[in-house]
Amino acid sequence: MRDLRFRRAARTTALGTAALVAALSLTACQSGSAEPAGGSGDPAAQAPAAGTSAAPVADTGTETTGKPGATDSGSGDGKDSGSSAVRPAAKPAAEQADGSGKGGTGTSPATCTGADTKLTITSVPRPVNHMLLTVTNTGSTSCSAYSYPFLRFGGAQSVPQVVEDSVPQSVIVLAPGESAYTGVMTSSADGSGTGGYSTKDLTVGFQGRDGGSAGPMVNVPLGKKVYVDSTLAVTYWQTDMDDALMY
């Protein structure tokens, strides 16, 4: 009897122990399966929601490309580069004076006028009925004698015609003390001219670069009466008196 009770007690103890072990195992399994679902080991649990993931991307883009500070820096660089690109390159000193580098008051000789020259006219034996007009630079700087002089004998209402074949290759520039020459045919040698008259008065004017008058007309003494008619003509300014008298 006693052995039977002992066996029953042992059996009961063994069953209780087995039940306890089973319960503990079940609890452990439940704990292990719950952990991955909400813990750090589950990739689905670790990935942020779609709305949450967009925010960091937008923030990153703002920091690198749309950031106000970055925009200011870029516009500052661009502005400097643009200024250098559109800023006119510095002109040579010769061009800065008049904007073209030639013909300006600051770089090329001024136009010869009666204020800085001396004019004289003399008769010559050949060609017949010719005179030689001479202009000498009496100033301290060079001057340009453009085209041909305007001549008016006596009370003439117009200036003489010009010998077009006498055009020089370039503008005559006179350094201080240098001279230029114009040949003047006063009348025809064969008497074909008309409207002739004699006068002791002569005024001479200079041309500017644009062909207009430069300075006032200058009185030039003739010394004696000179006969002129409708064939009266002048040459362009020349650097050599023989060139001025060859027409």
Side-chain angles (χ1 to χ4, degrees), residues 21-58:
V21 171
L24 291 176
S25 299
L26 178 61
T27 302
C29 290
Q30 289 175 350
S31 298
S33 60
E35 172 118 15
S40 59
D42 187 354
Q46 291 179 358
T52 305
S53 63
V57 173

Side-chain angles (χ1 to χ4, degrees), residues 13-162:
T13 301
L15 290 174
T17 300
L20 180 60
V21 171
L24 291 176
S25 299
L26 178 61
T27 302
C29 290
Q30 289 175 350
S31 298
S33 60
E35 172 118 15
S40 59
D42 187 354
Q46 291 179 358
T52 305
S53 63
V57 173
D59 290 343
T60 302
T62 302
E63 290 293 330
T64 56
T65 58
K67 190 175 181 181
T71 301
D72 292 342
S73 176
S75 62
D77 293 342
K79 185 175 181 180
D80 292 342
S81 299
S83 300
S84 299
V86 300
R87 187 180 297 115
K91 293 182 179 180
E95 293 189 12
Q96 291 175 0
D98 65 352
S100 67
K102 57 183 179 180
T105 56
T107 60
S108 68
T111 302
C112 295
T113 66
D116 53 12
T117 61
K118 179 182 179 181
L119 290 164
T120 58
I121 191 166
T122 56
S123 296
V124 294
R126 294 186 180 185
V128 177
N129 300 341
H130 274 64
M131 302 185 78
L132 181 69
L133 177 67
T134 303
V135 58
T136 303
N137 183 357
T138 58
S140 58
T141 59
S142 298
C143 68
S144 297
Y146 291 101
S147 300
Y148 55 90
F150 295 137
L151 272 62
R152 179 173 289 120
F153 283 90
Q157 299 300 310
S158 61
V159 296
Q161 59 187 326
V162 62

Side-chain angles (χ1 to χ4, degrees), residues 192-213:
S192 59
T194 61
Y197 61 94
S198 295
T199 182
K200 291 181 63 175
D201 300 322
L202 171 63
T203 54
V204 178
F206 293 89
Q207 290 193 57
R209 189 187 316 169
D210 60 357
S213 297

Side-chain angles (χ1 to χ4, degrees), residues 207-226:
Q207 290 193 57
R209 189 187 316 169
D210 60 357
S213 297
M217 300 286 284
V218 180
N219 290 316
V220 181
L222 286 175
K224 62 179 182 180
K225 285 188 175 182
V226 175

